[in-house]
Every structure is written in structure tokens, then in C-alpha cells.
Amino acid sequence: MRTRVLVTATVALATLVAGAPPAQAKRTEPPKQPVAVGYGGAVSTVDPTATAVGLDVLRRGGNAVDAAVAAAATLGVTEPFSAGIGGGGFLVYYEARTGRVHTIDGREAAPASMTATSFVDPATGQPYRFDEARISGLSVGVPGTLLTWRDALARWGTRPLAQMLRPAARVAEEGFTVDETFASQIAANQAAFAQFSSTSALYLPGGRPPAVGSTFRNPDLADTYHLIARRGTDVFYRGEVGRDLAATVTRPPLAARPTESWPYPIRPATMTTADLARYRTRFPAPTRSDYRGYEVYGMSTPSSGGVAVSEALNILERFDLRSMTPAQAMHHYLEASALSFADRNRYVGDDTSQRILRELVTDAYAGERACHIDPSAALPKPVAPGVPDGRYGGCPAATAADTRDDRMSTTNLTVADRWGNVVEYTLTIEATGGNGMVVPGRGFLLNNELTDFNFAPTQGSAPDPNLPAPGKRPRSSMSPTIVLADGRPFLAVGTPGGATIITTVLQMLVNRIDRGMTLPEALAAPRASQRNGASTQAEPAFVSAYGEGLPPGHVFAPTAEIGAATGIEFLPDGRVLAAAEPVRRGGGAAAVVGRWARP
């Protein structure tokens, strides 16, 4: 995402990964470039420092899982407002040895004290406003990121977690250069950050964001990484780091004299060390859909991403998008998105039954949903959910629908190694800046992931699948996706962006598979996100490119940009193509282990 000037960290990245003393020869990170083609493995992230760390792991014989963990730990330093050990995420892994796709659910979990009315103000009987709930202890879920790293390495990696944390710790110690994006993310959170002594001390020195061009260091986070490296993840989930985390939730570190006002009381919540100790990652079977001869694998619940992308692809497979004009293809993409979101909102949550999940991704159900799409006009929004009961036929009428979104932040990375293993990993602390609280003395922000629950029932007399409950994991839209062709990797893609993640991944797949774009073109193409709302969120370039050719009924709400994707494609000649955003969120960084030398 940003071009970093590391004070001395770039000298030591290679030796830190290997565990040797720092080398004397200066080693520079690869240039910040959105596309790289070569062999021997590849890395794509939103940040060149994280890409450099992951690439160095691959060059020193580590596999895709090793590199993904090292890169993710580095993103916790350089992208602290989007991800870190105070959050969670979802990892999808293709294992070349067996040809199988695996997933890890590292989503944050509600503490045992959570109830269906935790986000309802007892004084008024009304749900809290979003920022009122976010900047509080109420929003914090038990983090899953650190156990995701540990368990991924234990199952599929070749390097210990301690070794994979060292490059990130060095970046935190030595620092990086603050750019406009980093400073602007602090500025956007300045009022919230100012409420907490620990956060303002780190991110608001002198009451202001650090100056662009200055060096930012986080020695507390470096110490936390070193402590975990020495003593293992139990120090987080059963030891002193966990005790500090729980204390932050129950007794927020309020500033004695905040430099900014905040309109809401800072509410504490109850999270105990027992909540942390009982947390476990999960290993659900991935979602799968067959699309135009490809096998598309994604993340199951509590993410809604895999189910929603699969359902939308099944709907779109009923139409010959290649024979359509670009505008007609985008019309069908938008309508399929709305239909799948109606079902996602109605049915998908952490405890949705496998029977319902299976029905939502059947071709027969997709046929019943596809019948609603009219090539000559957009459907009135919101459209109603279908009835996935196994009895399909005709074109059932619609009723009311929920259109609630989760918020936008998160980060994503894609890694492949020389053996053909692939990692697609999306991780987050939810809103940019999480819940605003840095754990004192530990250097990391806490998540506000529990605000992804519905604050109050949304489905009328029908059950709401996404209400809070003890130990429950809130519904997510994260959609790390791996596509196979004849059982071998073809594409891996993912993106941040809250609920727009689902539509961005879907649109990239349509652009690459149906519209014949290259992967870099599919990532760079203008985006729109229809999430079963009265209007479609759209980048200005999308409206300019397709607006006049779309049938009537589409209403657009402009937004500067949607998502910040990464991806890797496996080319027929054995090369890999790594791609990242060229412009969005400042652009990403793609790199390959070896450049392709033409004869």
C-alpha cells in the first residue's frame, strides 16, 4: 500500500528470516510495482515491506504458509489500522501434495457475557449508533489472528512461528516512513484515538498525527512479538498479554485530558481471561462451486463470502456473458449480486445449518433465482430472499429484505511457492482503526468485530441469523478465493472492503473468466457493488464506462474507490503472474522469486 523507507530493517530482512545475525551488505526491498511475472513463487500484498518479507521467506526455502505468516505479521506493523494480532481473519490454502483445499476460520468470537441485546441501550431500548458501539469495550471479539498463524504453520508450514515473527519485530523496532495514507488514517480516527491514553501516545504524539516523511516506530509491538516468539501463543491466550487485553476491554485506558471531544460515553464490557483461553480456530470444509469448468473454492461460515460468491456464480452461469455487451454483462453481475445478498442477509450466520448452506449453492436453486433477472430493466431493490427448501420451479414473488452492511477496512495477501502451494488470506480488525484502543504496553489495536453482528432483529417474524450470542462469531464478508482448473491452481484472489469484498471478488472473476481480461486488468477495472440496496455503490469510472449502456432502473451512489485486491495467476507455461492494485489505497506490491528470462 505504501512505499516504505526502512531505517535499517531492509538490511536485516533476509538474515532475520534465516535466524542469523544481521548481514553487513545492504539489501533493498523490491520496487513497489503492481505486476510481476516469473517463477519460483510469488507474493502480493498491499504493502511493499510485507511483500519483501514474504518474498525473502520463499527465497530462503520457506513455503507459501511460512511466507504468508511472515507477511501478515509485517502487515500488523505497517498496516495496523486494518489488521494485527488484535483481530482475526480467514485463510484458504491449496495443498499441492494432496491437491486439496483447506481453510482456517480465525474469526473473532463473542465473549461468554454477550447476549442478543448487548448492542441495545437499556436506557432507551434502541440499538446503539455504530460509532457509539464501536468505540467501546462492547465491540471487541476474542482475537483469532495469532492462533491462525500458529495453526497454519503447525499443519502446513516448515518454519516455527518465532522465526516468522522476527522480520516484523525488526520493522517495528527500526521504523518506516510515514506516508499520506498512514497519516490520513490516523487523522480520520483522531477524535476516537484521542480518548485513550495508550492510543494517543502512540499515534498522536503532541496531539497530532505523525508528520508525513517522519519515521514511525512501535517498540511495544516489537516487544510483544519478541515475547510471543520466546514463550509461544499461550502468553497471549493464557498469559500476561491476554490479561492486559481483557483489562483494556473491561477498563478502557481513558485519557485524563482528551485533546478531542467524543459524543458518546466510552462503555466497558466484560471479557475474561477464560474467554481468551477457550478460543480455538476452526477448520471448516471450503465452499465449492463449478463455474465454466473451473472449481471455485472459498470460505464457509461465519464468513458469508464463499456462499454468496458461489450462489452469484451459479446464477451467472445461466447466462452467456461472453456474448453480451460489456454493459449487459455488468447488468447481470449487479443483479446476481443483489439476489445473492438477499439470501446472504436472510440465511447466513455463524450457526446456519449445513442443509441451508448446501441448498443456497445448488444449481437448481440458482435457476429459480436467475429467473428474476430481466435483461431490459433492473429489479426494484431490495429484492426478497428465496426459499432454499429443495423444491424449485417457477419464479416466486418477492417480500421484504434486510440490506445491512458490515463496515469497510481489512487487508489481504496472496502467496504461492515453488512447490505449487497457494495461500489466500484476508485479515482484519474491522473498521479502520478497530475500536480505537491500543492495549497499553503491547502496541496493538483491538478489533471492533462484534459490530458485524446485527444490533437488533432484521428479519421481521423470521429468525435473524446474525444476532449476538455467547461464543458466537459475527457474520463476515471476507472472501479469500482459490480457483482450480483440472484440479490445479489457476487463480487466487481476495480483497479488503467490508461487504464490498463479496462483489469485488465476484466482479474480478467475471472480468477474468467471462470477459477475457488479464488478471491485472481484472483487478484494475472500475468497480461497482450492488448489495441489495436501493442504490449501487460505484466508482466514477464504472458509471462512465457502463452507465449509458445499462438498462433502466440502476441508481448509483458514487464512491472514490472500492477494495484493494491482490491475486496470483498460474500461467500455462509454468510462470506465475502476481498482481496488486495499481492505484487504489495507494497501490500494492507484487513480486516473484525469479524473473523470467526470455531466450
Side-chain angles (χ1 to χ4, degrees):
M1 178 176 173
R2 291 180 278 278
T3 301
R4 307 280 183 193
V5 181
L6 301 184
V7 178
T8 60
T10 53
V11 178
L13 286 178
T15 54
L16 282 168
V17 170
Q24 298 302 311
K26 184 174 182 179
R27 181 186 185 280
T28 58
E29 63 188 71
K32 180 181 172 182
Q33 57 187 13
V35 180
V37 182
Y39 59 92
V43 182
S44 181
T45 81
V46 297
D47 178 80
T49 302
T51 295
V53 166
L55 192 69
D56 201 79
V57 172
L58 295 179
R59 284 178 169 156
R60 292 180 167 272
N63 70 8
V65 172
D66 304 327
V69 170
T74 306
L75 288 171
V77 178
T78 60
E79 296 282 312
F81 314 118
S82 297
I85 58 174
F90 298 100
L91 185 149
V92 179
Y93 173 60
Y94 171 79
E95 185 179 28
R97 181 179 60 85
T98 62
R100 294 182 58 198
V101 176
H102 308 270
T103 72
I104 300 181
D105 163 16
R107 181 67 157 167
E108 300 89 336
S113 59
M114 197 97 196
T115 71
T117 59
S118 288
F119 289 115
V120 176
D121 187 343
T124 65
Q126 297 299 311
Y128 294 121
R129 296 185 181 184
F130 177 78
D131 278 340
E132 186 175 10
R134 174 199 164 197
I135 307 301
S136 76
L138 297 170
S139 65
V140 184
V142 178
T145 290
L146 193 57
L147 283 190
T148 299
W149 299 349
R150 184 201 70 181
D151 292 348
L153 290 170
R155 289 192 173 214
W156 309 302
T158 67
R159 303 289 192 268
L161 177 61
Q163 189 174 334
M164 296 301 94
L165 291 175
R166 287 175 191 153
R170 179 58 63 92
V171 174
E173 289 168 342
E174 302 294 347
F176 53 85
T177 299
V178 173
D179 71 354
E180 291 184 3
T181 303
F182 190 88
S184 69
Q185 289 176 332
I186 296 174
N189 280 285
Q190 186 161 340
F193 284 3
Q195 306 311 305
F196 307 106
S197 56
S198 52
T199 312
S200 54
L202 181 60
Y203 292 119
L204 296 170
R208 300 173 60 85
V212 174
S214 65
T215 299
F216 184 84
R217 298 179 177 87
N218 191 340
D220 285 346
L221 181 57
D223 289 345
T224 300
Y225 277 172
H226 285 310
L227 181 63
I228 295 166
R230 290 195 308 271
R231 296 174 53 188
T233 56
D234 273 0
V235 76
F236 188 97
Y237 289 94
R238 299 173 183 273
E240 54 261 47
V241 177
R243 288 195 293 271
D244 290 346
L245 191 161
T248 304
V249 174
T250 56
R251 299 184 300 277
L254 299 177
R257 296 181 181 85
T259 57
E260 301 273 342
S261 62
W262 185 250
Y264 309 111
I266 309 296
R267 291 178 169 82
T270 302
M271 179 181 289
T272 68
T273 53
D275 291 317
L276 289 156
R278 73 169 60 94
Y279 183 88
R280 300 290 187 275
T281 55
R282 301 171 178 171
F283 301 85
T287 62
R288 173 185 162 160
S289 60
D290 295 318
Y291 186 69
R292 318 285 193 202
Y294 296 101
E295 304 160 57
V296 182
Y297 290 90
M299 195 70 220
S300 190
T301 54
S303 178
S304 61
V307 172
V309 169
S310 292
E311 180 183 342
L313 288 174
N314 290 341
I315 292 170
L316 289 172
E317 198 167 27
R318 299 275 171 154
F319 305 95
D320 183 4
L321 301 186
R322 289 194 178 194
S323 68
M324 297 179 183
T325 65
Q328 268 292 322
M330 288 296 96
H331 166 66
H332 283 73
Y333 149 69
L334 294 172
E335 298 294 85
S337 296
L339 291 163
S340 66
F341 255 86
D343 294 330
R344 172 254 197 198
N345 293 344
R346 170 64 186 85
Y347 296 111
V348 181
D350 187 27
D351 51 8
T352 302
S353 72
Q354 288 298 310
R355 183 190 68 79
I356 292 293
L357 295 176
R358 286 193 297 268
E359 287 296 328
L360 289 172
V361 299
T362 62
D363 288 332
Y365 182 66
E368 187 173 88
R369 300 298 276 153
C371 72
H372 290 285
I373 297 179
D374 181 349
S376 64
L379 290 163
K381 310 294 189 310
V383 299
V387 182
D389 58 4
R391 299 187 297 273
Y392 308 122
C395 211
T399 55
D402 165 41
T403 60
R404 184 188 180 277
D405 284 342
D406 39 303
R407 297 305 193 270
M408 300 173 65
S409 181
T410 312
T411 193
N412 191 83
L413 61 89
T414 313
V415 182
D417 62 31
R418 63 187 178 186
W419 299 282
N421 303 301
V422 185
V423 171
E424 189 64 50
Y425 183 23
T426 311
L427 59 161
T428 186
I429 58 172
E430 219 274 293
T432 302
N435 87 328
M437 300 179 195
V438 168
V439 178
R442 302 302 182 182
F444 61 90
L445 281 157
L446 292 179
N447 69 84
N448 65 295
E449 215 65 62
L450 300 187
T451 57
D452 271 354
F453 283 123
N454 293 340
F455 287 13
T458 63
Q459 300 299 320
S461 60
D464 188 311
N466 193 41
L467 287 176
K472 190 174 180 179
R473 303 186 183 197
R475 182 172 62 200
S476 171
S477 294
M478 288 183 272
S479 308
T481 301
I482 292 177
V483 182
L484 307 184
D486 299 322
R488 299 176 64 84
F490 167 58
L491 282 177
V493 292
T495 183
T500 69
I501 292 172
I502 291 169
T503 57
T504 296
V505 168
L506 177 63
Q507 189 177 356
M508 288 190 294
L509 294 177
V510 168
N511 285 341
R512 177 66 190 90
I513 295 172
D514 291 295
R515 301 187 62 204
M517 293 184 184
T518 65
L519 179 59
E521 290 170 343
L523 265 68
R527 292 179 186 145
S529 180
Q530 169 47 248
R531 304 188 298 280
N532 200 28
S535 62
T536 297
Q537 192 176 359
E539 296 174 342
F542 183 94
V543 180
S544 298
Y546 307 113
E548 291 187 3
L550 290 170
H554 289 285
V555 178
F556 293 106
T559 188
E561 61 184 29
I562 297 173
T566 66
I568 291 175
E569 180 170 346
F570 298 82
L571 304 177
D573 59 10
R575 293 180 297 165
V576 289
L577 184 159
E581 293 284 355
V583 175
R584 295 180 183 96
R585 278 176 63 168
V592 292
V593 170
R595 288 286 182 181
W596 184 261
R598 292 185 177 275

